[in-house]
Amino acid sequence: YRLYPTEGQKILLGKHFGSVRWIYNWALSEKNARYIEAGVSVSIYELQSHLPQMKEREETAWLKEVSAQALVGALMHLDAAFTSFFKSNTKFPRFKCRGHRESFQNHQGNEVDLDANKFYCFKFREGIRCNFTRTFEGKIKTATITKTPTNKFYVSILVDTPDTQPTP
């Protein structure tokens, strides 16, 4: 669905995209350095345990401004990239750069108001105006907010429906 954020919401979305990219690159750097130094892999849980400490440090206190779910989601994506690399012939995970398609995910606290055309998630409690082109029923599992290189914003919503599996 297409999102139409206000100027203030665009700034906060930009902070989310930048923070997620920074955390992903920091974690990739940590994993690479630890493997080169000691030949061991760093788990996602160990990397995640550093996030509260990073938010308290002066040089990375800006991480408090964004949703913690988005930061943990970046670590989950990096872990999935490494798993994919070791299980198949995909490329080694690379550092993310600014300007391409940027995104972050929220796994909890996502709501929609189809009548008011609003999408709600953590840090965006006033709601972001959204163009719902079709309705859905079920529990929202994950929302992925994306910004295209042309500065358009979209939300992709994964819904768990109560329906049984269709017959093939």
Side-chain angles (χ1 to χ4, degrees):
Y1 303 108
R2 176 84 185 267
L3 291 175
Y4 297 94
T6 64
E7 289 304 315
Q9 290 171 337
K10 285 180 183 179
I11 291 169
L12 187 55
L13 285 169
K15 289 179 181 180
H16 275 77
F17 297 133
S19 297
V20 165
R21 181 180 57 250
W22 189 88
I23 285 293
Y24 183 95
N25 290 340
W26 166 81
L28 179 56
S29 176
E30 286 291 311
K31 286 179 85 72
N32 288 343
R34 185 80 63 87
Y35 188 78
I36 290 170
E37 290 172 5
V40 295
S41 178
V42 181
S43 73
I44 185 175
Y45 305 108
E46 186 177 343
L47 292 170
Q48 190 175 338
S49 71
H50 290 285
L51 291 179
Q53 299 161 358
M54 294 172 81
K55 289 180 180 183
E56 296 304 319
R57 281 192 241 137
E58 188 176 329
E59 62 270 11
T60 53
W62 45 268
L63 290 172
K64 290 181 187 177
E65 298 177 31
V66 300
S67 170
Q69 289 184 37
L71 302 178
V72 172
L75 297 177
M76 290 170 40
H77 282 248
L78 179 64
D79 193 54
F82 269 101
T83 301
S84 180
F85 169 71
F86 286 115
K87 285 188 175 180
S88 63
N89 293 330
T90 59
K91 293 181 179 178
F92 188 80
R94 295 182 287 174
F95 291 98
K96 294 191 179 286
C97 61
R98 180 185 303 186
H100 296 292
R101 186 179 163 269
E102 300 178 271
S103 66
F104 70 92
Q105 286 187 335
N106 273 332
H107 298 281
Q108 297 173 344
N110 301 306
E111 299 174 15
V112 296
D113 185 348
L114 297 173
D115 296 328
N117 288 327
K118 294 271 189 163
F119 169 74
Y120 302 90
C121 65
F122 286 127
K123 301 288 184 175
F124 296 94
R125 281 289 144 213
E126 70 281 0
I128 303 173
R129 195 166 62 91
C130 186
N131 183 18
F132 291 105
T133 53
R134 58 184 168 281
T135 61
F136 58 85
E137 293 180 12
K139 182 181 177 191
I140 298 175
K141 302 297 275 184
T142 303
T144 304
I145 299 174
T146 306
K147 178 184 168 193
T148 65
T150 58
N151 291 326
K152 293 179 183 171
F153 296 88
Y154 295 92
V155 62
S156 175
I157 301 173
L158 176 66
V159 179
D160 187 16
T161 59
D163 298 339
T164 58
Q165 294 292 329
T167 55

